[in-house]
Amino acid sequence: QVQLVESGGGLVQAGGSLRLSCAASGTIFSIVAMKWYRQPPGKQRELVAFISDGSANYADSVKGRFTISRDNAKNTVYLQLNSLKPEDTAVYYCNAVSQTGRSHYNYWGQGTQVTVSS
């Protein structure tokens, strides 16, 4: 089992920045990838960024503005959000993918609200 706790959301003006944190605990040795998703109001959840084996990948909509990173010593993954736009407004969720044998399991945080005002 993996537990995830997010923090760092809030209200920011367009062009501003935020840093989201996701602290993992439990069987963290089994984690093979960490991801950030977001769910805008009235829309489906979408993948924003993920990091696996040290490589990072981003959705086209955030490429060049968001940065995902991890601090293994703190068991924490970060999402730096720069040059924020009103369309970035969403609940942001941290996701951990763990592997046991050939089986993969998904764990989710509780979500943190990011609101960008114009």
Side-chain angles (χ1 to χ4, degrees), residues 57-79:
N57 292 273
Y58 302 91
D60 288 343
S61 59
V62 307
K63 202 171 291 183
R65 299 189 298 120
F66 292 6
T67 303
I68 188 171
S69 61
R70 66 191 299 173
D71 185 334
N72 291 330
K74 296 182 178 180
N75 298 323
T76 299
V77 172
Y78 303 97
L79 186 66

Side-chain angles (χ1 to χ4, degrees), residues 6-58:
E6 298 128 337
S7 60
L11 173 63
V12 64
Q13 288 188 331
S17 299
L18 285 172
R19 190 177 78 157
L20 308 182
S21 300
C22 173
S25 61
T27 54
I28 56 176
F29 59 86
S30 66
I31 295 175
V32 295
M34 294 291 296
K35 305 179 182 181
W36 284 98
Y37 286 77
R38 67 184 181 186
Q39 187 164 15
K43 296 184 179 181
Q44 290 187 333
R45 195 173 296 189
E46 60 184 6
L47 179 63
V48 174
F50 72 92
I51 189 166
S52 175
D53 293 332
S55 65
N57 292 273
Y58 302 91

Side-chain angles (χ1 to χ4, degrees), residues 2-6 22-25 31 34 94-96 107-110:
V2 175
Q3 295 78 43
L4 303 172
V5 178
E6 298 128 337
C22 173
S25 61
I31 295 175
M34 294 291 296
C94 179
N95 167 260
Y107 299 93
W108 295 90
Q110 80 284 1

Side-chain angles (χ1 to χ4, degrees), residues 30 32 97-106:
S30 66
V32 295
V97 180
S98 71
Q99 181 176 356
T100 303
R102 295 184 178 182
S103 299
H104 290 84
Y105 303 91
N106 278 284

